[in-house]
Amino acid sequence: MMLLLASPFALAQVNTIEELQQQLAQHPIVRGDFKQKRTLAMFDQPLTSTGQFTLDKTHGLLWRQDVPFTVQLVLTKDKLRQTFADQPAQVITAKDNPMAFYFSHIFLAVFHGDTEQLKQQFDMTFKADNGQWTLALTPKAAPLNAVFDSITLGGKSDLERLTLQEIRGDKTDILFSNQSYQPESLTDAEQAQIKF
């Protein structure tokens, strides 16, 4: 059973897409744990990984996988840095690979609950039932509809589940837990990672 820490400022219940947007946008920083399960059509067993994330709405995303091996990912508006274990970091800029950043910006919009930006790229279906909300995103056009069949978000007050269903049959399920909003600014260590 996962422990989910709700914000002391959390809405009692999310019943509309507008309330969801408000709820997900109200904190400048969200930290927590993730468990990711990737099911690939070519493999019998899913690939599972766990780690921690820090989402700073101004500066970007820190994503640290600890299991089964260490990977650090730092995503900002115009740069992506990936480090595997003790290997030298690989840095990609928006200029180097505009398509990677197109997908990265969509991913950040999903995390932020930026429904205005998502509306431009997806048909959206929102449901709220018994204290739980679900937002299903269906890509409208290329290149997203060539990769994803659907992206589904779900939770109570926070984003707790994210499912990426790909056209070719691969699927990624991410569960978020232990979310917190303190401290409300990046630590020195986080700043050193994100401002590269």
Side-chain angles (χ1 to χ4, degrees):
M1 171 123 182
M2 293 189 156
L3 175 64
L4 299 172
L5 302 177
S7 156
F9 307 108
L11 296 173
Q13 204 165 312
V14 172
N15 292 307
T16 67
I17 201 163
E18 292 77 21
E19 288 177 355
L20 174 62
Q21 167 86 41
Q22 259 184 324
Q23 179 68 14
L24 295 181
Q26 72 178 324
H27 301 287
I29 291 187
V30 182
R31 294 176 179 83
D33 299 329
F34 70 85
K35 181 175 183 178
Q36 178 175 296
K37 184 172 84 170
R38 183 136 169 77
T39 306
L40 303 172
M42 63 174 72
F43 294 113
D44 292 337
Q45 295 295 320
L47 308 172
T48 303
S49 58
T50 59
Q52 296 85 42
F53 73 93
T54 300
L55 175 65
D56 181 313
K57 306 263 169 96
T58 305
H59 297 102
L61 176 69
L62 299 174
W63 188 268
R64 180 187 167 91
Q65 173 186 298
D66 297 319
V67 176
F69 49 85
T70 303
V71 179
Q72 274 197 321
L73 181 77
V74 181
L75 176 60
T76 67
K77 195 165 84 171
D78 57 0
K79 287 184 187 170
L80 170 69
R81 185 181 71 211
Q82 195 165 13
T83 311
F84 290 92
D86 298 326
Q87 301 296 314
Q90 299 171 325
V91 178
I92 301 167
T93 66
K95 188 178 171 187
D96 297 333
N97 191 335
M99 190 55 67
F101 279 85
Y102 175 80
F103 283 101
S104 298
H105 291 155
I106 295 296
F107 190 65
L108 287 175
V110 166
F111 262 89
H112 293 168
D114 185 348
T115 54
E116 286 309 308
Q117 186 176 344
L118 293 174
K119 254 182 229 176
Q120 298 168 24
Q121 308 291 336
F122 299 94
D123 289 321
M124 301 194 301
T125 306
F126 179 82
K127 290 180 187 165
D129 185 33
N130 213 18
Q132 295 274 344
W133 59 264
T134 304
L135 179 61
L137 308 173
T138 306
K140 292 180 179 180
L144 288 170
N145 68 354
V147 178
F148 296 108
D149 183 47
S150 65
I151 299 174
T152 307
L153 299 77
K156 290 181 184 170
S157 56
D158 297 309
L159 174 61
E160 297 171 5
R161 299 176 308 283
L162 174 61
T163 300
L164 308 167
Q165 181 65 58
E166 296 178 33
I167 295 287
R168 64 183 180 187
D170 296 349
K171 181 180 175 185
T172 303
D173 290 299
I174 308 173
L175 297 178
F176 301 100
S177 60
N178 300 324
Q179 297 185 41
S180 99
Y181 311 101
Q182 300 297 327
E184 290 188 350
S185 58
L186 293 172
T187 65
D188 291 345
E190 289 167 343
Q191 281 193 39
Q193 290 178 62
I194 213 162
K195 294 181 179 177
F196 63 96

